Amino acid sequence: MATFSIERTAPLPPAEAWRRLTTWQRHGDVVPLTRVTVLTPPPTGVGTRFVARTGLGPLAFDDPMEVTVWEPPGEDGAPGRCRLEKRGRLVRGWAEIEVGPGPGGRARVRWREELTVRPLPSALGGPLERSGRYVFGRAVNQLLRRP
């Protein structure tokens, strides 16, 4: 199991940072070898389900997820929060995305994730945590930079 956290401050209003991070198909544009398919009709909310398929050809796996908490940022400055439950055969766990106001009118983003990859022994939790922080940190950076 690996647990990691990523924090960023972006020169965006919180509502725009939220949109960029929670438009699920965009994640496939920034996570290597990954395609995201949303399985439920819009708009996103509790119960939205999607699958991130990562890999090449037969060497790929599905990471099915479901939104279990959906609280967009409030116009009153209240932070937004989204929780995803990972329900795959190989990848289990959860991810939480929080977006709120930061200094100077910027958005403060916090991404927390807990991953369990079933065939990996627990001794590989440290490398999994470091690689998760790197891959998801890059993805968050790119999602926040792209309109």
Side-chain angles (χ1 to χ4, degrees):
M1 179 175 67
T3 303
F4 57 90
S5 180
I6 299 159
E7 294 189 24
R8 301 289 187 265
T9 301
L12 301 166
E16 178 60 15
W18 176 265
R19 183 195 68 79
R20 291 181 186 193
L21 292 170
T22 62
T23 303
W24 309 120
Q25 298 90 330
R26 292 169 44 95
H27 289 241
D29 298 336
V30 299
V31 177
L33 304 174
T34 299
R35 182 183 70 234
V36 176
T37 304
V38 178
L39 304 173
T40 50
T44 294
V46 171
T48 295
R49 291 179 296 114
F50 56 97
V51 176
R53 181 161 182 84
T54 301
L56 293 171
L59 300 175
F61 66 92
D62 289 338
D63 182 6
M65 292 171 253
E66 182 174 347
V67 175
T68 59
V69 174
W70 182 258
E71 301 166 355
E75 291 183 24
D76 61 354
R81 186 169 153 260
C82 174
R83 182 176 173 99
L84 307 171
E85 296 289 336
K86 295 174 164 285
R87 299 188 169 148
R89 288 183 303 182
L90 294 177
V91 180
R92 307 280 290 179
W94 52 264
E96 288 184 347
I97 304 166
E98 294 178 17
V99 179
R106 307 172 115 206
R108 178 168 283 142
V109 173
R110 184 173 183 202
W111 182 297
R112 297 183 315 136
E113 187 143 351
E114 180 181 283
L115 289 174
T116 300
V117 180
R118 287 199 184 212
L120 293 181
S122 60
L124 293 178
L128 179 60
E129 180 181 319
R130 287 187 294 281
S131 62
R133 189 178 303 115
Y134 174 77
V135 169
F136 286 98
R138 267 187 93 233
V140 167
N141 290 346
Q142 291 178 4
L143 289 167
L144 291 171
R145 286 186 188 124
R146 295 181 181 195

